[in-house]
Amino acid sequence: MTETTTPADDVSAGTQRRSRQKGALLFLRDILVIFVVALLVSFLVKTFLVRSFYIPSASMEQTLQIDDRILVNELVPDMVPLERGDVVVFRDPGGWLPPSPEPDAPPLTVAADWVLSLIGLSASDSDDHLIKRLIGLPGDHVVCCNALGQMTVNDVPLSEPYITLRPGTTDVSEVAFDVVVPSNSLWVMGDNRYNSRDSRYNREQPGNGFVPIDNVVGRAFVISWPTAHWDWLDNYPEVFAGIPDAEPAQ
């Protein structure tokens, strides 16, 4: 017996096909909307709240290792005040970093990196920024070193558990200095004191080694990758607790 279809069957099959097609289109539309919203939210978070950077050098060892990834609170300093001991990310004040040539990369890699950077999963401009520990706020008198090899801030000696020194050394800096931090500026130093091109070594550059507060991108607060290094970044308030308020900076 040969099966035949009626016009009603054809209409029903066509309706089902159109229904399936419509369902697939609605599904794709919802996925696209979710993706765009997620991208927008991630972009807003990255722009105004949290941003990712990677560590390109050894200047903050042992606190931070090369290729560690960190998350940076971008509410600092605009909405949350800076504090001594903060680990801060900032744009080069001028002359701190050597010129970095633009690396050659396939267009697809560049596009993927751009998309990832929008949502904070890539940090292609990490080489254009620096990360150091904030030692001196505006008006602070920072001196190194005293008879015990310690640095002092406003005449208070610091006992710094976070620093790395060369074996056999006790001075927390191989370079002596005596500075008063100008207004709207910071004095910063790397935790790896004998391997950090920080404020001490940029006294001949624009700004005399001080970092304009306007150059600060934010405060690093956590190591996000690799998971073996995951940790909160402490600003060691006990180290700086006894420092009196500075005289108004000039």
Side-chain angles (χ1 to χ4, degrees):
M1 179 181 291
T2 303
E3 292 186 1
T4 60
T5 60
T6 66
D9 292 332
D10 293 339
V11 170
S12 177
T15 300
Q16 290 177 358
R17 283 196 300 271
R18 286 193 296 272
S19 178
R20 287 194 297 268
Q21 291 172 351
K22 183 178 180 181
L25 290 174
L26 288 174
F27 174 76
L28 291 175
R29 184 201 65 182
D30 290 343
I31 292 295
L32 180 61
V33 169
I34 292 171
F35 175 77
V36 170
V37 169
L39 188 64
L40 179 61
V41 170
S42 298
F43 173 75
L44 292 174
V45 168
K46 178 236 176 179
T47 302
F48 298 106
L49 297 178
V50 177
R51 188 171 175 186
S52 173
F53 286 90
Y54 72 87
I55 305 303
S57 76
S59 71
M60 285 295 291
E61 290 180 348
Q62 296 296 323
T63 303
L64 296 169
Q65 309 296 319
I66 295 175
D67 291 333
D68 278 355
R69 286 187 178 269
I70 56 171
L71 296 181
V72 173
N73 178 1
E74 293 188 290
L75 296 178
V76 180
D78 292 336
M79 298 184 66
V80 179
L82 291 161
E83 297 181 2
R84 301 181 189 92
D86 285 346
V87 177
V88 293
V89 173
F90 56 95
R91 296 183 300 276
D92 185 356
W96 288 41
L97 292 170
S100 55
E102 192 72 24
D104 292 330
L108 186 59
T109 301
V110 173
D113 187 66
W114 179 81
V115 172
L116 291 174
S117 69
L118 286 179
I119 58 177
L121 296 180
S122 176
S124 58
D125 60 349
S126 287
D127 288 335
D128 301 326
H129 293 73
L130 298 101
I131 183 166
K132 308 292 179 188
R133 193 175 296 275
L134 196 169
I135 302 298
L137 292 168
D140 281 346
H141 183 203
V142 188
V143 181
C144 196
C145 299
N146 64 14
L148 298 178
Q150 298 170 303
M151 179 166 49
T152 64
V153 178
N154 299 338
D155 298 323
V156 176
L158 305 182
S159 179
E160 303 178 275
Y162 44 79
I163 63 174
T164 298
L165 301 178
R166 288 176 182 166
T169 61
T170 56
D171 288 357
V172 299
S173 174
E174 62 183 337
V175 176
F177 56 87
D178 185 334
V179 299
V180 175
V181 185
S183 61
N184 301 313
S185 299
L186 307 171
W187 180 266
V188 299
M189 299 173 69
D191 288 356
N192 192 354
R193 287 292 166 79
Y194 284 76
N195 188 19
S196 175
R197 302 294 298 181
D198 49 41
S199 288
R200 298 168 292 168
Y201 298 97
N202 288 283
R203 301 288 286 147
E204 303 302 319
Q205 301 296 341
N208 299 316
F210 300 106
V211 177
I213 291 178
D214 287 344
N215 282 42
V216 175
V217 174
R219 175 177 60 83
F221 67 95
V222 70
I223 303 171
S224 59
W225 189 264
T227 55
H229 295 175
W230 190 93
D231 199 5
W232 296 104
L233 293 173
D234 195 352
N235 66 353
Y236 295 88
E238 68 279 3
V239 173
F240 303 90
I243 297 174
D245 291 338
E247 295 296 326
Q250 301 298 317

